[in-house]
Amino acid sequence: MKLSDWMRRFFRPGNRDAANEALVTLLLAAREDENLRKKISSLIRLPDVQRDSLVISAVDEMKLKGEPPEICGAFAILATSDGAAAAQKALNLV
């Protein structure tokens, strides 16, 4: 099974919506780019309240700047405990 297929199933089994696809793309890029990986890892390791607040603020700013809805949705997934845990697991795959 390809890593991208595993990530899609891990995040949202049976759901291949645009936000899910964007998140998979982001995490695959983070696995290749150490700087991006560190930034995402730092974000998803924050306590729930801090991460949620930071992500919501970032998503609001992204929307004001006209970012595509699927990108905003992908980032919003990281605000949830389940989304952050899934992202951490995906980034730690070998």
Side-chain angles (χ1 to χ4, degrees):
M1 175 185 304
K2 291 178 10 182
L3 179 60
S4 58
D5 292 336
W6 179 88
M7 284 186 180
R8 285 182 185 93
R9 289 185 199 171
F10 189 76
F11 280 100
R12 299 212 179 157
N15 187 355
R16 295 189 68 158
D17 64 9
N20 186 43
E21 291 295 314
L23 181 58
V24 169
T25 301
L26 175 67
L27 293 175
L28 288 172
R31 289 178 54 83
E32 299 296 322
D33 181 333
E34 187 61 32
N35 188 37
L36 179 58
R37 183 184 187 128
K38 286 179 183 179
K39 288 178 181 180
I40 293 174
S41 291
S42 294
L43 173 67
I44 59 181
R45 287 184 178 143
L46 289 172
D48 290 347
V49 174
Q50 289 176 332
R51 186 186 60 256
D52 184 57
S53 177
L54 185 61
V55 170
I56 288 172
S57 294
V59 169
D60 287 344
E61 186 175 328
M62 292 166 71
K63 288 177 181 177
L64 287 173
K65 290 182 177 181
E67 294 291 338
E70 61 272 11
I71 302 298
C72 296
F75 200 69
I77 292 170
L78 298 176
T80 67
S81 296
D82 290 343
Q88 185 64 44
K89 188 168 184 176
L91 290 177
N92 286 332
L93 288 175
V94 177

